[in-house]
Amino acid sequence: MTELHPDLRENVRLLGELLGQSIRRSPGQDCFELIEEIRAAAKSDRLQEGDSGQRLVSLLGKLGVDELLPVTRAFNQFLNLANLAEQYHGIRRKRGHQSDLVVESLGDVFARLKAGGVSPAELHQKVADLRLEFVLTAHPTEVARRTLIMKYDEMSHCLGQLDHDDLLPAEREEIVGRLFRLITEAWHTDEIRHERPTAVDEAKWGFAVIEHSLWHALPQFLRSLDASLMDATSNGLPMQVSPIRIASWMGGDRDGNPNVTHDVTRQVFLLGRWMAADLFLRDIKMLRAELSMWQASDELKGVVGDAREPYREVLGGLRERLIKTRDWAEACINGEPADATGILFENEDLTAPLELCYRSLVACGLDSIADGPLLDTIRRAHTFGLPLIRLDIRQEASRHAEAVAEMVSYLGLGDYLSWSEEQRQAFLVEELQGRRPLVPRNWEPSDNVREVLATCEVVAGQTPQALGSYVISMASKPSDVLNVILLLREAGMRHPMRVVPLFETLDDLRGAPESMEALYQVDWYRQYTQGRQEVMIGYSDSSKDAGQLMAAWAQYQAQEKLTEVASQYGVHLTLFHGRGGTVGRGGGPANRAILSQPPGSVNGSFRITEQGEMIRFKFGLPELAVQSLTLYTTAVVEATLAPPPQPEPGWRETMDWLTERSLKSYREVVREHPDFVPYFRQVTPEQALGKLALGSRPARRKATGGVESLRAIPWIFAWTQMRLMLPSWLGSDVALEEAAQEKKLPQLREMMRGWPFFRTYIDMLEMVVAKADLRIASYYEKTLLDDPQLKELGADLRSRLQQCIQRLLELKQQSELLEAEPVFAHSMRVRNPYTDPLHYLQAELLRRSRQGEEQGEVSELVERALKVTMAGISAGMRNTG
């Protein structure tokens, strides 16, 4: 059995010990011995065979109301500290340390590609043309408060200091003392948000990730990419090239979120400009201290004359304009009169003076100075620019159709919504080719339409560098895209914005290639796109709609056909992957996911959402961010230059056979079983999740409705909390069972060996069922269900999960789960004594909370402890939704 790495084990022990000391010293919270007893019981119960858990349940059953909160908080806090230790372990730089979480270097991947026949010229061209964009989303899955995240980051810094071998005893003591204070501060800080963050708060959190991590990580990564490219091709990364882009949905995603208005979007654009000006001012201050040289090129002298310190002169002018820009943005945000004279608005205003200094230094033979911090700032200027991030706008297709329909009706041109798709397209293209304005004067649109038009006006007022994509959810027809382009033009848009249909349900995915072909057939539209198209694939909703196996296959086939159709029309396609953090929402190890995409679908460009807690796990610290950028870049370059082979025709037939069975089985339970919705509502904390102030967005698309109206995040979150993990395996169980009965397992093994897509799917399935726990799921049922029919459904689902695990082991020819992932398996085992008490407590607290609601006597302590269990289990599982 693989143990934790000794360095990691030592850090977990140290953090746990310091937490214990903090708890011991807490006035009025003398519960340390009780917590230790519960932990020991959880550990010993795990070693029991059969129906164990009795000692733990007995201990927890004796807890008084005043003991509930400190006990749940202690286990929650430990799990957060364990996550912190693991996160730091992946980036530690201790001498002689080899992390368990090794990311293959850029140099190694480039060397492998060259050995496989890729020429240096082709490699250089593909890397220079690379477009890899991360879209930070406001999906509400970050349970930890920002206050605590900042303390955890500081704790990571302390662990880094402790890794120095040359510390004096007094120095070590001082660092441990700082760690103890931070842990004590965290212990005495409320871990639960009591008010929902606004959409602007979420955007500020995204900006903070850039300020504290990506701002430092990006130039460091690009230096590494430049050096590796130079080694591999004798040609470095061009200075103006920005292969990495950062975009955001925070403050732009209004789909189902009434809290994101045009005013919010305007404010977020301005906040981005304020933050960018502030960050670049810090860079300029540092550069002015560095660039004290007097030698300058004629080009530079032509700008500053006979200044004694020409570089400082140029940078001084830039500094003044940045200060004006920051003051202007602040005044606009506060609704005060704002002077725009002399501000920096177009990105070239920022890059031109910096590049002038660079060229001058090189011309004077001072390359080593030019390639120092100045180059880092130039690369930041090309990547982040004056807007800081590229803001995506997302809105539902029917809202745009409604806006066009109201205009058409007011002008007496007919009933747009009753027109056929052909009539709509003909009208839209005619309007787009013409020059007359469509929006009538003195027209009073409805509130809904006024908001859509106001959003388009805000968007039209931005520079191209400030804009990401305009994403249309529930898009299915060419007119859905043309509506948006027309509304943007009416608002005064002067340059083509990427308008991106999002295909998210099973039917949408199946119809996507045909929809895009119809769009490419519109000559005007092909000219508008200038030969580049982006399409978004929705993972979350397709999985919720059809089950994980069917969704994965539908996504794969849609990408294949979309790539083929774009190629026929000479269009370069970028696929935008709307993956969630969990396997049930399309998540999983990024490099494996990218390398298992259909051949040709990753063609030098890749766009992907990063959400909630995944942003912190991948980009929360500069060293982590460098690792993540390296991992994604190598995968996209490799998938572009050495794509996987096409699957055999027989494998496709087998996938059709498997998914036909998995879809039928999944929907029979989720859509057709009369007891399923009551079972889901009663056995999971789904309805209590609304009490966690996670994000600005409501948990449901509609105020009423069943599972179909529930967003994918709470759907996954709820099943994860009680460890049945149902969305990730339901349907696959029947498909694997029937495959075994039909003697198809040898063929499935062959598919695993030769087809990265199928192997990745099976590995992800294994990872998620390893997180399931039948004993815990059974305890939730026992505690929360009274109806014998619901209990019968629960017993059936648990039996199916058990069968799924057995068939999976048989397929992989293993005796236990995660044999090839021993580090991950051990990490789960280490967490069990801390997650188990939280599960058992949560079930009991849910029972008490519901009882209290029925009697009209809701205990505040019970409610708060319940929220802490939800946060703690999320930390223990390393994901929410």
Side-chain angles (χ1 to χ4, degrees), residues 88-116:
Y88 170 70
H89 182 66
I91 55 172
R92 73 193 318 154
R93 292 284 177 269
K94 188 175 178 181
R95 196 177 303 145
H97 166 77
Q98 179 64 55
S99 168
D100 301 316
L101 313 165
V102 179
V103 172
E104 193 176 15
S105 74
L106 291 156
D108 287 349
V109 173
F110 292 170
R112 191 170 66 244
L113 288 168
K114 283 170 68 184

Side-chain angles (χ1 to χ4, degrees), residues 626-701:
V626 170
Q627 275 192 356
S628 296
L629 294 172
T630 303
L631 185 141
Y632 275 98
T633 301
T634 53
V636 170
V637 170
E638 191 162 1
T640 299
L641 289 170
Q646 288 284 358
E648 303 283 339
W651 299 351
R652 290 177 180 279
E653 286 169 22
T654 300
M655 275 307 293
D656 287 338
W657 186 90
L658 287 168
T659 52
E660 192 185 309
R661 281 146 185 78
S662 72
L663 175 66
K664 181 172 181 288
S665 158
Y666 176 86
R667 287 186 170 170
E668 274 173 359
V669 174
V670 172
R671 291 191 178 183
E672 295 164 27
H673 197 299
D675 296 326
F676 179 74
V677 172
Y679 172 81
F680 170 62
R681 291 271 150 79
Q682 288 179 44
V683 85
T684 74
E686 179 255 328
Q687 293 183 303
L689 292 178
K691 296 170 185 174
L692 272 180
L694 287 184
S696 66
R697 199 167 78 166
R700 291 180 178 280
R701 283 191 165 87

Side-chain angles (χ1 to χ4, degrees), residues 137 265 297 420 487 520 574 581-582 676 756 820 841:
T137 74
T265 299
S297 65
S420 69
L487 291 170
Y520 298 144
T574 296
T582 59
F676 179 74
L841 278 167

Side-chain angles (χ1 to χ4, degrees), residues 323-344:
I323 291 169
K324 282 183 178 175
T325 306
R326 188 177 62 177
D327 293 346
W328 163 81
E330 188 168 356
C332 291
I333 291 163
N334 295 332
E336 297 163 0
D339 181 8
T341 314
I343 67 165
L344 300 167

Side-chain angles (χ1 to χ4, degrees), residues 844-856:
E844 175 58 24
L845 289 163
L846 276 170
R847 191 186 63 76
R848 290 192 199 183
S849 172
R850 290 169 186 176
Q851 218 169 40
E853 281 169 5
E854 282 168 18
Q855 294 163 2

